[in-house]
Amino acid sequence: MKTDALFYQLFGQYPEAFFELQGMPTELAQSYDFSSLELKETAQRIDGVFIPKIGGLPTYFVEVQFYLDPAIFANLLAKIFLWMKRNDPALDFRGVVIFGERSLEPKDLRPYQALLQSGQVVRCFLDELTTPTGRSLGSDVLRLITCAEANAKEVARDLLERAERELSAPEFREKMIELVETVVLYKIPRMTREEIRAMLLVDDVRKIRLYQEALEEGIEQGIEKGIEKGIEKGQMKERKRLVVEMMAEGLPLSKIASILRIPQAEVQAHADPSS
């Protein structure tokens, strides 16, 4: 898979990352649909287009560039203007070029100075990305795509753990896991997807979620009984059951305590057969 395809996949799932990359409010993503446009007359394609859902907002045409191409701006603008000629000559547009690094930007920008100065054409350089406070999951995927192979494992694990904490909907969690797997598979092509899952502890991440959901369900069932003593007893019983299951999976006591959010001494007590 080409690197630029990873970006288009990311923008399709997490459009907030596109606006965050430009230093714009991520809330703008709610006002756009991400798509691609076919230029049938020339058999060309614009892979990344943010089409506004409401009036008064510009359309964003996106190009991701990971090699030196002196004609990158000319090619993008030519495709934009061709599409406008055929569809909407009065279109308010922005052209956004995302360079893998600043050295890939063409040296002679004289023909495009007016567009660059007006903000009609925007440049983003991935090698100059900062790590903002309160960054989105999408920006973390950007960081994973651009990080060195040596750091990919650590960045990917951190990203999966964060997704597990912040994404409550199972379908969104699974999409994030698949996207992270795909990015790492691209960065380390000598490994299979199964090897990558083992390296990132993907199965453990899924088990942690199942254990936490089981615990929450057990607590809710206890609450439904409405008797304080019964609730406490139900919680303890559920915790003991989960501790026994996780020990059977080979998880250490400290990890079990972290997952269930209880003291390690209580885990030890539940693990004692005589308790």
Side-chain angles (χ1 to χ4, degrees), residues 4 50 110 133 137 203 266:
D4 54 357
F50 284 88
R110 288 176 297 174
T133 302
L137 282 168
D203 290 338
E266 184 178 336

Side-chain angles (χ1 to χ4, degrees), residues 48-239:
V49 184
F50 284 88
I51 302 173
K53 301 177 184 178
I54 56 178
L57 295 174
T59 298
Y60 288 88
F61 295 86
V62 189
E63 190 77 25
V64 179
Q65 194 68 14
F66 271 80
Y67 61 91
L68 184 61
D69 180 4
I72 178 61
F73 291 114
N75 288 336
L76 176 60
L77 291 169
K79 289 189 284 187
I80 292 174
F81 289 135
L82 177 58
W83 192 89
M84 290 172 62
K85 176 183 177 182
R86 299 294 185 184
N87 297 275
D88 184 2
L91 181 72
D92 182 15
F93 78 90
R94 303 288 186 275
V96 180
V97 182
I98 301 173
F99 291 99
E101 54 188 66
R102 185 175 284 274
S103 64
L104 298 178
E105 180 185 41
K107 302 303 180 185
D108 192 352
L109 300 176
R110 288 176 297 174
Y112 318 106
Q113 282 297 343
L115 293 172
L116 291 170
Q117 291 173 1
S118 69
Q120 199 85 30
V121 173
V122 179
R123 298 159 293 170
C124 299
F125 304 101
L126 297 176
D127 62 333
E128 299 177 5
L129 280 179
T130 58
T131 305
T133 302
R135 65 187 187 272
S136 70
L137 282 168
S139 69
D140 272 1
V141 178
L142 276 175
R143 190 161 63 97
L144 175 60
I145 293 174
T146 57
C147 76
E149 178 184 325
N151 301 327
K153 176 180 177 180
E154 180 182 357
V155 174
R157 281 187 176 177
D158 289 344
L159 180 52
L160 288 177
E161 289 179 2
R162 185 180 173 198
E164 193 60 34
R165 292 193 306 268
E166 299 181 15
L167 297 178
S168 56
E171 61 272 20
F172 289 148
R173 289 200 304 272
E174 286 302 313
K175 284 184 179 180
M176 174 58 78
I177 290 174
E178 290 174 6
L179 181 56
V180 171
E181 287 177 0
T182 301
V183 173
V184 178
L185 184 62
Y186 167 80
K187 297 187 77 67
I188 315 177
R190 61 183 177 276
M191 296 183 68
T192 66
R193 186 173 289 269
E194 289 71 24
E195 289 172 334
I196 287 171
R197 285 176 178 169
M199 179 185 73
L200 298 180
L201 305 177
V202 169
D203 290 338
D204 287 348
V205 169
R206 290 190 171 109
K207 285 176 184 177
I208 288 172
R209 168 56 61 175
L210 290 174
Y211 288 138
Q212 290 176 340
E213 288 176 349
L215 178 60
E216 290 167 2
E217 182 181 354
I219 292 174
E220 288 175 1
Q221 290 174 352
I223 291 174
E224 289 176 358
K225 295 179 181 179
I227 303 173
E228 187 172 342
K229 190 173 181 180
I231 294 172
E232 184 178 352
K233 184 177 180 181
Q235 290 177 350
M236 294 294 287
K237 183 177 181 181
E238 185 65 20
R239 286 175 183 168

Side-chain angles (χ1 to χ4, degrees), residues 215 235-236 239-240 242-243 246 253-268 270:
L215 178 60
Q235 290 177 350
M236 294 294 287
R239 286 175 183 168
K240 180 176 178 61
L242 292 175
V243 166
M246 284 187 274
L253 298 184
S254 58
K255 185 68 173 178
I256 296 173
S258 175
I259 293 171
L260 299 181
R261 302 184 182 94
I262 60 176
Q264 187 168 334
E266 184 178 336
V267 176
Q268 183 68 56
H270 289 316

